[in-house]
Amino acid sequence: MDDRKLELQQSVKNVKLETKSVNFYYGAFHALKDITFRIFDRTITAIIGPSGCGKSTLLKLFNRMNDLVPGVRVEGEILLDGVSIYEDNIDVVSLRSKVGMVFQKPNVFPMSIYDNIVIGPKRHGIKRKHELDVIAERCLSQVALWEEVKDNLKRPGLELSPGQQQRLCIARALAVEPDVILMDESCSALDPESTMKIEELMLELAKKYTIIIVTHNMEQAVRVSDMAAFMMIGKDKVGMLVEYAPTDEMFANPKDKRTEDYITGRFG
C-alpha cells in the first residue's frame, strides 16, 4: 500500500468539512440541490463535472465567498470541524483565514513579492519585521519559490511568470495558517510544466492541509486526488452531487452510469 492510500485510510477517521442537505439559491434561481457529503482531514478532494453544474459555487460555500453576491440564500448546514459556518455569530474574516482560496487565474496583488505574502499576517496583528520575514521565507519555501525569488523579494509580484504567480498566491494563502485550501481550476491557465509543479505542491501540502480542487482535467483528478465528487445538472436544471468515492474506485468502477459516461468522455 502506498503512503497516500495509508494516509487516506487514517484521515477518513477525521471529518474536516461536512455538508448536510445543502441547497443554494441566487435569488429565485435554485443552483445546488441537497448536497450531502464529508471531506476528510489532510486529503485532496476533486470536484468534477460538466460546466455549469455548480462546482465553483459549491467550493465558494466553504468560505462564504458567495456572501458577496446580493440575494443569495443557503439552506442546510455546512460544518467545519463540527461547527456550522453559516450561523450568525460566525466571524467571516476568521473563517476565510481558516479556509483559504486560490482562483483560476493568479490574483497577485499589485505590490512586491514580500508584501503579497505578509499582507494577511499584518491584518491579523503581526507587525514585527522579524516575524514577517520568517513567515515570508516559510511560505515561499513551502511552495518551492524561495530559492527563485529570495534575492528579489521587493520585485513586483506581477513580474513573475504565470506559474510563479500561482505559487505566490498559494504562499499568500498559507501565510495566515489555514486548515483548508480551496483551488478553483488553479492550473487551467498554466502551461504543462507549471501545472506539474502545482500538482507536486498539492501532494506535498496535503500532508498538512485539507485541499479541495475544482477541475475539468480528469487526468489531474486521477493524479492528485484521494476522493472525487462528481456533479451534474439534474432534470430540474439544478446542480446535484451524483457520486462521491475514493478517486481510484470511482474511475475504475463508477457506481452510477452517469459518472461512467462523464469520465469516459461520452458527455460533458
Side-chain angles (χ1 to χ4, degrees):
M1 181 179 295
D2 64 36
D3 291 343
R4 282 300 299 161
K5 287 188 177 180
L6 181 60
E7 289 170 10
L8 177 59
Q9 285 191 356
Q10 295 169 341
S11 294
V12 294
K13 300 173 185 176
N14 303 309
V15 176
K16 191 67 181 178
L17 273 163
E18 182 174 8
T19 68
K20 295 182 177 181
S21 300
V22 169
N23 287 266
F24 181 74
Y25 301 83
Y26 291 106
F29 175 65
H30 194 179
L32 296 174
K33 180 178 181 180
D34 296 334
I35 306 292
T36 298
F37 71 136
R38 291 176 168 181
I39 291 172
F40 304 108
D41 188 32
R42 285 174 296 164
T43 58
I44 302 175
T45 299
I47 303 175
I48 62 174
S51 297
C53 67
K55 302 184 298 298
S56 295
T57 296
L58 176 60
L59 197 71
K60 291 174 184 176
L61 287 179
F62 294 135
N63 70 348
R64 294 186 52 169
M65 286 292 290
N66 288 311
D67 287 13
L68 304 173
V69 180
V72 299
R73 186 169 91 257
V74 180
E75 295 176 352
E77 272 194 303
I78 299 177
L79 307 174
L80 173 64
D81 291 326
V83 177
S84 179
I85 67 172
Y86 278 85
E87 296 296 327
D88 292 339
N89 63 345
I90 291 295
D91 182 338
V92 178
V93 173
S94 176
L95 171 67
R96 290 179 186 151
S97 69
K98 292 179 181 178
V99 185
M101 190 156 192
V102 181
F103 296 92
Q104 181 174 8
K105 293 183 179 179
N107 63 329
V108 173
F109 297 154
M111 55 182 65
S112 71
I113 294 168
Y114 179 87
D115 287 334
N116 263 275
I117 300 297
V118 302
I119 186 172
K122 282 183 175 179
R123 287 176 176 172
H124 286 82
I126 297 176
K127 303 297 183 184
R128 293 176 59 190
K129 186 177 185 303
H130 173 69
E131 289 183 69
L132 295 172
D133 289 349
V134 169
I135 291 169
E137 181 173 353
R138 171 177 60 82
C139 295
L140 289 167
S141 296
Q142 280 182 285
V143 301
L145 200 54
W146 175 250
E147 292 299 326
E148 298 174 35
V149 304
K150 64 181 181 181
D151 297 324
N152 293 285
L153 292 177
K154 295 303 179 183
R155 177 185 177 190
L158 290 168
E159 290 184 1
L160 296 174
S161 70
Q164 289 175 319
Q165 286 187 31
Q166 195 64 297
R167 283 187 283 154
L168 178 61
C169 291
I170 296 170
R172 189 176 65 211
L174 295 176
V176 293
E177 300 187 356
D179 295 330
V180 180
I181 304 171
L182 311 176
M183 305 182 79
D184 190 2
E185 291 279 356
S186 55
C187 295
S188 63
L190 303 181
D191 60 79
E193 183 179 355
S194 296
T195 295
M196 182 180 68
K197 288 182 178 180
I198 297 293
E199 289 181 1
E200 290 172 351
L201 175 58
M202 290 181 197
L203 292 169
E204 186 63 30
L205 292 176
K207 296 175 182 178
K208 182 177 180 181
Y209 305 95
T210 301
I211 300 174
I212 310 170
I213 67 172
V214 165
T215 182
H216 281 99
N217 187 327
M218 295 302 96
E219 292 81 7
Q220 181 176 78
V222 171
R223 285 193 299 265
V224 304
S225 69
D226 305 296
M227 303 292 295
F230 170 59
M231 297 178 64
M232 64 177 292
I233 302 172
K235 292 180 180 179
D236 53 4
K237 307 299 182 184
V238 182
M240 59 183 288
L241 179 64
V242 174
E243 188 168 344
Y244 180 56
T247 303
D248 54 357
E249 290 182 20
M250 179 182 289
F251 278 78
N253 187 30
K255 292 181 171 59
D256 193 292
K257 181 66 163 55
R258 295 168 294 180
T259 309
E260 180 180 1
D261 288 345
Y262 182 75
I263 63 179
T264 57
R266 292 192 182 99
F267 83 93

Coordinates of all heavy atoms in Angstrom, one line a residue, residues 42-125:
R42 N -6.7 16.4 5.7 CA -5.5 16.1 5.1 C -5.7 15.1 3.9 O -4.9 14.2 3.7 CB -4.4 15.6 6.0 CG -3.8 16.6 6.9 CD -2.9 16.1 8.0 NE -3.7 15.2 8.9 CZ -3.1 14.3 9.7 NH1 -1.8 14.2 9.7 NH2 -3.9 13.6 10.5
T43 N -6.7 15.4 3.1 CA -6.9 14.7 1.8 C -7.0 15.7 0.7 O -7.3 16.9 1.0 CB -8.2 13.8 1.9 OG1 -9.3 14.6 2.1 CG2 -8.1 12.7 2.9
I44 N -6.9 15.3 -0.5 CA -7.2 16.1 -1.7 C -8.5 15.6 -2.3 O -8.6 14.4 -2.6 CB -6.1 16.1 -2.7 CG1 -4.8 16.5 -2.1 CG2 -6.4 16.9 -3.9 CD1 -3.6 16.4 -3.0
T45 N -9.5 16.4 -2.3 CA -10.8 16.1 -2.9 C -11.0 16.8 -4.2 O -10.8 18.1 -4.2 CB -11.9 16.4 -1.9 OG1 -11.8 15.7 -0.7 CG2 -13.3 16.1 -2.5
A46 N -11.3 16.1 -5.3 CA -11.5 16.8 -6.6 C -13.0 16.8 -6.8 O -13.7 15.8 -6.7 CB -10.8 16.0 -7.7
I47 N -13.5 18.0 -7.1 CA -14.9 18.2 -7.6 C -14.9 18.2 -9.1 O -14.3 19.2 -9.7 CB -15.5 19.4 -6.9 CG1 -15.4 19.3 -5.4 CG2 -17.0 19.5 -7.4 CD1 -15.9 20.6 -4.7
I48 N -15.5 17.3 -9.7 CA -15.5 17.2 -11.2 C -17.0 17.2 -11.7 O -17.9 17.0 -10.9 CB -14.8 15.9 -11.7 CG1 -15.6 14.7 -11.2 CG2 -13.4 15.9 -11.2 CD1 -15.0 13.4 -11.8
G49 N -17.1 17.5 -13.0 CA -18.4 17.6 -13.6 C -18.5 18.6 -14.7 O -17.6 19.4 -14.9
P50 N -19.5 18.5 -15.6 CA -19.6 19.4 -16.7 C -19.8 20.9 -16.3 O -20.1 21.2 -15.2 CB -20.8 18.9 -17.5 CG -21.6 18.2 -16.4 CD -20.7 17.6 -15.5
S51 N -19.4 21.8 -17.2 CA -19.6 23.2 -16.9 C -21.0 23.6 -16.6 O -22.0 23.0 -17.1 CB -19.2 24.0 -18.2 OG -17.8 23.9 -18.5
G52 N -21.2 24.5 -15.6 CA -22.5 24.9 -15.2 C -23.2 24.1 -14.2 O -24.4 24.4 -13.8
C53 N -22.5 23.0 -13.6 CA -23.2 22.2 -12.7 C -23.1 22.6 -11.2 O -23.7 22.0 -10.3 CB -22.8 20.7 -12.8 SG -21.0 20.5 -12.3
G54 N -22.3 23.7 -11.0 CA -22.3 24.3 -9.7 C -21.0 23.9 -8.9 O -21.0 24.1 -7.7
K55 N -20.0 23.5 -9.5 CA -18.7 23.1 -8.8 C -18.1 24.3 -8.1 O -17.8 24.2 -6.9 CB -17.7 22.5 -9.8 CG -18.2 21.3 -10.6 CD -17.1 20.7 -11.5 CE -16.6 21.7 -12.6 NZ -17.7 22.1 -13.5
S56 N -17.9 25.4 -8.8 CA -17.3 26.5 -8.2 C -18.2 27.2 -7.2 O -17.8 27.7 -6.1 CB -16.9 27.6 -9.3 OG -15.9 27.1 -10.1
T57 N -19.5 27.1 -7.4 CA -20.5 27.6 -6.4 C -20.4 26.8 -5.1 O -20.3 27.4 -4.0 CB -21.9 27.5 -7.0 OG1 -22.0 28.3 -8.1 CG2 -22.9 27.9 -6.0
L58 N -20.3 25.5 -5.2 CA -20.1 24.7 -4.0 C -18.8 25.0 -3.3 O -18.8 25.2 -2.1 CB -20.1 23.2 -4.4 CG -19.9 22.2 -3.3 CD1 -20.9 22.4 -2.2 CD2 -19.9 20.8 -3.8
L59 N -17.7 25.2 -4.1 CA -16.4 25.5 -3.5 C -16.5 26.8 -2.7 O -16.0 26.8 -1.5 CB -15.4 25.6 -4.6 CG -13.9 25.5 -4.2 CD1 -13.6 24.1 -3.7 CD2 -13.0 25.9 -5.3
K60 N -17.1 27.8 -3.2 CA -17.2 29.1 -2.6 C -18.1 29.1 -1.3 O -17.9 30.0 -0.5 CB -17.7 30.1 -3.6 CG -16.7 30.4 -4.7 CD -17.3 31.4 -5.7 CE -16.3 31.6 -6.9 NZ -16.9 32.4 -7.9
L61 N -18.9 28.1 -1.2 CA -19.7 28.0 0.0 C -18.9 27.6 1.2 O -19.2 28.0 2.3 CB -20.8 26.9 -0.1 CG -22.0 27.2 -1.1 CD1 -23.0 26.0 -1.1 CD2 -22.8 28.4 -0.6
F62 N -17.7 27.0 1.0 CA -16.9 26.6 2.1 C -16.2 27.7 2.8 O -15.7 27.5 3.9 CB -15.9 25.5 1.6 CG -16.5 24.2 1.2 CD1 -16.1 23.6 0.0 CD2 -17.5 23.6 1.9 CE1 -16.7 22.4 -0.4 CE2 -18.1 22.4 1.5 CZ -17.7 21.8 0.3
N63 N -16.1 28.9 2.2 CA -15.5 30.0 2.9 C -16.4 31.2 2.7 O -16.0 32.4 2.9 CB -14.1 30.3 2.5 CG -13.9 30.9 1.1 OD1 -14.9 30.8 0.3 ND2 -12.8 31.4 0.7
R64 N -17.6 31.0 2.4 CA -18.7 32.0 2.3 C -18.4 33.1 1.3 O -18.8 34.3 1.5 CB -19.0 32.6 3.7 CG -19.6 31.5 4.6 CD -20.1 32.0 6.0 NE -21.0 33.2 5.9 CZ -21.6 33.6 7.0 NH1 -21.6 33.0 8.1 NH2 -22.4 34.7 6.9
M65 N -17.6 32.8 0.2 CA -17.4 33.8 -0.8 C -18.6 34.2 -1.5 O -18.7 35.3 -2.0 CB -16.4 33.2 -1.8 CG -14.9 33.2 -1.3 SD -14.2 34.8 -1.1 CE -14.0 35.3 -2.8
N66 N -19.6 33.3 -1.5 CA -20.9 33.7 -2.2 C -21.7 34.7 -1.4 O -22.6 35.3 -1.9 CB -21.8 32.4 -2.3 CG -21.2 31.5 -3.4 OD1 -20.9 31.9 -4.5 ND2 -21.1 30.2 -3.0
D67 N -21.3 35.0 -0.1 CA -21.9 36.1 0.6 C -21.8 37.4 -0.1 O -22.6 38.3 0.1 CB -21.3 36.2 2.0 CG -21.7 35.1 2.9 OD1 -22.2 34.1 2.5 OD2 -21.4 35.2 4.1
L68 N -20.8 37.5 -0.9 CA -20.5 38.8 -1.6 C -21.5 39.1 -2.8 O -21.5 40.2 -3.3 CB -19.1 38.8 -2.1 CG -18.0 38.6 -1.1 CD1 -16.6 38.4 -1.8 CD2 -18.0 39.7 -0.1
V69 N -22.3 38.1 -3.1 CA -23.3 38.2 -4.2 C -24.6 38.6 -3.6 O -25.1 37.8 -2.7 CB -23.4 36.9 -5.0 CG1 -24.4 37.0 -6.1 CG2 -22.0 36.5 -5.5
P70 N -25.3 39.7 -4.0 CA -26.6 40.0 -3.5 C -27.6 39.0 -3.7 O -27.7 38.3 -4.8 CB -26.9 41.3 -4.2 CG -25.6 41.9 -4.7 CD -24.8 40.6 -5.0
G71 N -28.5 38.8 -2.7 CA -29.7 37.9 -2.9 C -29.5 36.4 -2.8 O -30.3 35.7 -3.2
V72 N -28.3 36.0 -2.3 CA -28.1 34.6 -2.2 C -28.7 34.0 -0.9 O -28.9 34.7 0.0 CB -26.6 34.2 -2.3 CG1 -25.9 34.7 -3.6 CG2 -25.8 34.8 -1.1
R73 N -29.0 32.7 -1.0 CA -29.6 32.1 0.2 C -29.1 30.6 0.3 O -29.0 29.9 -0.7 CB -31.1 32.1 0.1 CG -31.8 31.5 1.4 CD -33.3 31.8 1.3 NE -34.1 30.7 0.7 CZ -34.5 30.7 -0.5 NH1 -34.3 31.8 -1.3 NH2 -35.2 29.7 -1.0
V74 N -28.7 30.2 1.6 CA -28.2 28.9 1.8 C -29.1 28.2 2.8 O -29.5 28.8 3.8 CB -26.8 28.9 2.4 CG1 -26.3 27.5 2.7 CG2 -25.8 29.7 1.5
E75 N -29.5 27.0 2.4 CA -30.3 26.1 3.3 C -29.5 24.9 3.6 O -28.7 24.4 2.8 CB -31.6 25.7 2.6 CG -32.6 26.9 2.4 CD -33.8 26.5 1.6 OE1 -33.9 25.3 1.2 OE2 -34.7 27.3 1.5
G76 N -29.7 24.3 4.8 CA -29.0 23.1 5.2 C -27.8 23.6 6.0 O -27.7 24.7 6.5
E77 N -26.8 22.7 6.3 CA -25.7 23.0 7.1 C -24.4 22.7 6.4 O -24.3 21.7 5.7 CB -25.8 22.2 8.4 CG -26.6 22.8 9.5 CD -26.3 22.1 10.8 OE1 -26.5 20.9 10.9 OE2 -25.8 22.7 11.8
I78 N -23.4 23.5 6.7 CA -22.0 23.3 6.3 C -21.2 23.4 7.6 O -21.2 24.4 8.3 CB -21.5 24.2 5.2 CG1 -22.3 24.1 4.0 CG2 -20.0 23.9 4.9 CD1 -21.9 25.0 2.9
L79 N -20.5 22.3 8.0 CA -19.8 22.3 9.2 C -18.3 22.2 8.9 O -17.8 21.4 8.1 CB -20.2 21.0 10.0 CG -21.6 20.8 10.3 CD1 -21.9 19.5 10.9 CD2 -22.2 21.9 11.1
L80 N -17.5 23.0 9.7 CA -16.0 23.0 9.7 C -15.6 22.6 11.0 O -15.9 23.3 12.0 CB -15.5 24.4 9.3 CG -13.9 24.5 9.4 CD1 -13.2 23.6 8.4 CD2 -13.5 26.0 9.2
D81 N -15.0 21.4 11.1 CA -14.6 20.9 12.5 C -15.8 20.8 13.4 O -15.7 21.1 14.6 CB -13.5 21.7 13.1 CG -12.1 21.5 12.4 OD1 -11.9 20.4 11.8 OD2 -11.4 22.5 12.3
G82 N -16.9 20.5 12.8 CA -18.2 20.3 13.6 C -18.9 21.6 13.9 O -20.0 21.5 14.6
V83 N -18.4 22.7 13.5 CA -19.1 24.0 13.8 C -19.8 24.5 12.5 O -19.1 24.6 11.4 CB -18.0 25.0 14.3 CG1 -18.7 26.4 14.5 CG2 -17.4 24.5 15.5
S84 N -21.0 24.9 12.6 CA -21.8 25.4 11.5 C -21.3 26.8 11.1 O -21.3 27.7 11.9 CB -23.3 25.4 11.8 OG -24.0 25.9 10.7
I85 N -20.8 26.9 9.8 CA -20.2 28.1 9.4 C -21.2 29.2 8.9 O -20.8 30.3 8.6 CB -19.1 27.9 8.3 CG1 -19.8 27.4 7.0 CG2 -18.1 26.9 8.8 CD1 -18.8 27.3 5.8
Y86 N -22.4 28.9 8.9 CA -23.4 29.9 8.4 C -24.3 30.4 9.6 O -25.3 31.0 9.3 CB -24.3 29.3 7.3 CG -23.6 29.4 6.0 CD1 -22.7 28.4 5.5 CD2 -23.8 30.5 5.1 CE1 -22.1 28.5 4.3 CE2 -23.2 30.6 3.9 CZ -22.3 29.6 3.5 OH -21.6 29.7 2.3
E87 N -23.9 30.2 10.8 CA -24.5 30.8 12.0 C -24.2 32.3 12.0 O -23.2 32.7 11.5 CB -24.1 30.1 13.3 CG -24.4 28.6 13.4 CD -25.9 28.4 13.4 OE1 -26.6 29.3 14.0 OE2 -26.4 27.4 12.9
D88 N -25.1 33.0 12.6 CA -25.0 34.5 12.6 C -23.8 35.0 13.4 O -23.2 36.0 13.1 CB -26.2 35.1 13.2 CG -27.5 35.0 12.3 OD1 -27.3 34.7 11.1 OD2 -28.6 35.1 12.9
N89 N -23.3 34.1 14.3 CA -22.2 34.6 15.2 C -20.8 34.2 14.6 O -19.8 34.5 15.2 CB -22.3 34.0 16.6 CG -22.2 32.5 16.6 OD1 -22.4 31.8 15.5 ND2 -22.1 31.9 17.7
I90 N -20.8 33.7 13.4 CA -19.5 33.3 12.8 C -18.8 34.5 12.3 O -19.4 35.4 11.6 CB -19.7 32.3 11.6 CG1 -20.2 30.9 12.2 CG2 -18.5 32.1 10.8 CD1 -19.2 30.2 13.1
D91 N -17.5 34.7 12.6 CA -16.7 35.7 12.1 C -16.2 35.3 10.7 O -15.3 34.4 10.6 CB -15.5 36.0 13.1 CG -14.6 37.1 12.6 OD1 -14.6 37.5 11.4 OD2 -13.9 37.6 13.5
V92 N -16.7 35.9 9.7 CA -16.4 35.5 8.3 C -14.9 35.8 8.0 O -14.3 35.0 7.3 CB -17.3 36.2 7.3 CG1 -17.0 35.8 5.9 CG2 -18.8 35.9 7.6
V93 N -14.3 36.8 8.5 CA -12.9 37.1 8.2 C -12.1 36.0 8.8 O -11.1 35.5 8.2 CB -12.5 38.5 8.8 CG1 -11.0 38.7 8.7 CG2 -13.3 39.6 8.1
S94 N -12.4 35.6 10.0 CA -11.7 34.5 10.7 C -11.9 33.2 9.9 O -10.9 32.4 9.7 CB -12.2 34.3 12.1 OG -11.5 33.2 12.7
L95 N -13.1 32.9 9.4 CA -13.4 31.7 8.6 C -12.5 31.7 7.4 O -11.9 30.7 7.0 CB -14.9 31.7 8.2 CG -15.3 30.6 7.2 CD1 -15.1 29.2 7.8 CD2 -16.7 30.9 6.7
R96 N -12.4 32.9 6.7 CA -11.6 32.9 5.4 C -10.1 32.8 5.7 O -9.4 32.4 4.7 CB -12.0 34.2 4.6 CG -13.4 34.1 4.1 CD -13.8 35.3 3.3 NE -15.2 35.3 3.0 CZ -16.0 36.3 2.8 NH1 -15.5 37.6 3.0 NH2 -17.2 36.2 2.5
S97 N -9.7 33.0 6.9 CA -8.3 32.7 7.2 C -8.1 31.2 7.4 O -7.0 30.7 7.1 CB -7.8 33.5 8.4 OG -8.4 33.0 9.6
K98 N -9.1 30.5 7.9 CA -9.0 29.1 8.1 C -9.2 28.3 6.8 O -8.7 27.2 6.6 CB -10.1 28.6 9.1 CG -9.8 29.1 10.5 CD -10.9 28.6 11.4 CE -10.7 29.1 12.9 NZ -11.8 28.7 13.8
V99 N -10.0 28.9 5.9 CA -10.3 28.3 4.6 C -9.9 29.2 3.5 O -10.7 30.1 3.0 CB -11.9 28.0 4.5 CG1 -12.1 27.2 3.2 CG2 -12.3 27.2 5.7
G100 N -8.7 29.1 3.0 CA -8.1 29.9 2.0 C -8.5 29.5 0.6 O -9.0 28.4 0.4
M101 N -8.4 30.4 -0.3 CA -8.8 30.1 -1.7 C -7.8 30.6 -2.7 O -7.2 31.7 -2.6 CB -10.2 30.8 -2.0 CG -10.8 30.3 -3.3 SD -12.6 30.6 -3.3 CE -13.1 29.6 -4.7
V102 N -7.6 29.8 -3.7 CA -6.7 30.1 -4.9 C -7.6 30.0 -6.1 O -8.2 29.0 -6.4 CB -5.5 29.1 -5.0 CG1 -4.6 29.5 -6.2 CG2 -4.7 29.1 -3.7
F103 N -7.6 31.1 -6.9 CA -8.5 31.2 -8.0 C -7.9 30.6 -9.3 O -6.7 30.3 -9.4 CB -8.9 32.6 -8.2 CG -9.7 33.2 -7.0 CD1 -9.1 33.8 -6.0 CD2 -11.1 33.0 -6.9 CE1 -9.7 34.3 -4.9 CE2 -11.8 33.4 -5.8 CZ -11.1 34.1 -4.8
Q104 N -8.8 30.6 -10.4 CA -8.4 30.1 -11.7 C -7.2 30.8 -12.3 O -6.2 30.2 -12.7 CB -9.6 30.1 -12.6 CG -9.3 29.6 -14.0 CD -10.5 29.5 -14.9 OE1 -11.6 30.0 -14.5 NE2 -10.4 28.9 -16.0
K105 N -7.3 32.1 -12.2 CA -6.1 33.0 -12.7 C -5.5 33.6 -11.5 O -6.1 34.0 -10.6 CB -6.6 34.1 -13.7 CG -7.2 33.5 -15.0 CD -7.6 34.7 -15.9 CE -8.1 34.1 -17.2 NZ -8.6 35.2 -18.1
P106 N -4.1 33.6 -11.5 CA -3.4 34.2 -10.4 C -3.9 35.6 -10.1 O -3.9 36.4 -10.9 CB -2.0 34.1 -10.8 CG -1.9 33.1 -11.9 CD -3.2 33.1 -12.6
N107 N -4.3 35.8 -8.8 CA -4.7 37.2 -8.5 C -3.7 37.8 -7.6 O -4.0 38.2 -6.4 CB -6.1 37.2 -7.8 CG -6.2 36.4 -6.5 OD1 -5.4 35.4 -6.3 ND2 -7.0 36.8 -5.6
V108 N -2.5 38.0 -8.1 CA -1.4 38.6 -7.4 C -1.8 40.1 -7.2 O -2.3 40.8 -8.1 CB -0.1 38.5 -8.2 CG1 1.0 39.3 -7.6 CG2 0.3 37.1 -8.3
F109 N -1.5 40.6 -6.0 CA -1.8 42.0 -5.6 C -0.7 42.9 -6.3 O 0.5 42.4 -6.4 CB -1.8 42.2 -4.1 CG -2.9 41.5 -3.4 CD1 -2.8 41.1 -2.1 CD2 -4.1 41.1 -4.1 CE1 -3.8 40.4 -1.4 CE2 -5.1 40.4 -3.4 CZ -4.9 40.1 -2.1
P110 N -1.0 44.1 -6.6 CA 0.0 45.0 -7.3 C 1.0 45.6 -6.2 O 0.9 46.8 -5.9 CB -0.9 46.1 -7.9 CG -2.1 46.1 -7.0 CD -2.4 44.7 -6.6
M111 N 1.8 44.7 -5.7 CA 2.8 45.1 -4.7 C 3.9 44.1 -4.8 O 3.9 43.2 -5.6 CB 2.1 45.1 -3.3 CG 1.5 43.8 -2.9 SD 0.7 43.8 -1.3 CE -0.6 45.0 -1.5
S112 N 4.9 44.2 -3.9 CA 6.1 43.3 -4.0 C 5.7 41.9 -3.7 O 4.7 41.6 -3.1 CB 7.2 43.8 -3.1 OG 6.8 43.6 -1.8
I113 N 6.7 41.0 -4.1 CA 6.5 39.6 -3.7 C 6.4 39.4 -2.2 O 5.5 38.8 -1.7 CB 7.7 38.8 -4.2 CG1 7.8 38.7 -5.7 CG2 7.7 37.3 -3.6 CD1 9.1 38.2 -6.3
Y114 N 7.2 40.1 -1.4 CA 7.2 40.1 0.0 C 5.9 40.6 0.6 O 5.3 39.9 1.4 CB 8.4 40.9 0.6 CG 8.5 41.0 2.1 CD1 9.2 40.0 2.8 CD2 7.9 42.0 2.8 CE1 9.3 40.1 4.1 CE2 8.0 42.1 4.1 CZ 8.7 41.1 4.8 OH 8.8 41.2 6.2
D115 N 5.4 41.7 0.1 CA 4.2 42.3 0.6 C 3.0 41.5 0.3 O 2.0 41.4 1.1 CB 4.0 43.7 0.1 CG 5.0 44.7 0.7 OD1 5.5 44.4 1.9 OD2 5.3 45.7 0.1
N116 N 3.0 40.7 -0.8 CA 1.9 39.8 -1.1 C 1.8 38.7 -0.1 O 0.7 38.4 0.3 CB 2.2 39.1 -2.5 CG 1.4 39.8 -3.6 OD1 0.3 39.5 -3.9 ND2 2.1 40.7 -4.3
I117 N 2.9 38.3 0.5 CA 2.9 37.2 1.5 C 2.5 37.8 2.8 O 1.7 37.2 3.5 CB 4.3 36.6 1.6 CG1 4.7 36.0 0.3 CG2 4.3 35.5 2.7 CD1 3.9 34.8 -0.2
V118 N 3.0 38.9 3.2 CA 2.8 39.4 4.6 C 1.6 40.2 4.8 O 1.2 40.6 6.0 CB 4.0 40.2 5.1 CG1 5.3 39.3 5.0 CG2 4.2 41.5 4.4
I119 N 0.8 40.5 3.8 CA -0.4 41.3 3.9 C -1.4 40.7 4.9 O -2.0 41.4 5.7 CB -1.0 41.7 2.6 CG1 -2.1 42.7 2.7 CG2 -1.4 40.4 1.8 CD1 -2.7 43.2 1.4
G120 N -1.6 39.4 4.8 CA -2.5 38.7 5.6 C -2.1 38.7 7.1 O -2.9 39.1 8.0
P121 N -0.9 38.2 7.4 CA -0.4 38.3 8.8 C -0.5 39.7 9.4 O -0.8 39.8 10.6 CB 1.0 37.8 8.7 CG 1.0 36.9 7.5 CD 0.1 37.5 6.5
K122 N -0.1 40.7 8.6 CA -0.2 42.1 9.1 C -1.7 42.4 9.5 O -1.9 43.0 10.6 CB 0.2 43.1 8.0 CG 1.8 43.2 7.9 CD 2.1 44.3 6.9 CE 3.6 44.5 6.8 NZ 4.0 45.5 5.8
R123 N -2.6 42.0 8.7 CA -4.0 42.3 9.0 C -4.5 41.5 10.3 O -5.4 41.9 10.9 CB -4.9 41.9 7.8 CG -4.8 42.9 6.7 CD -5.6 42.4 5.5 NE -5.6 43.4 4.4 CZ -6.1 43.2 3.2 NH1 -6.7 42.0 2.9 NH2 -6.1 44.1 2.3
H124 N -3.8 40.4 10.6 CA -4.1 39.7 11.8 C -3.2 40.1 13.0 O -3.1 39.3 14.0 CB -4.0 38.2 11.5 CG -5.1 37.6 10.7 ND1 -5.1 37.7 9.3 CD2 -6.2 37.0 11.0 CE1 -6.2 37.2 8.8 NE2 -6.9 36.7 9.8
G125 N -2.5 41.2 12.9 CA -1.9 41.8 14.0 C -0.4 41.5 14.2 O 0.2 42.0 15.2

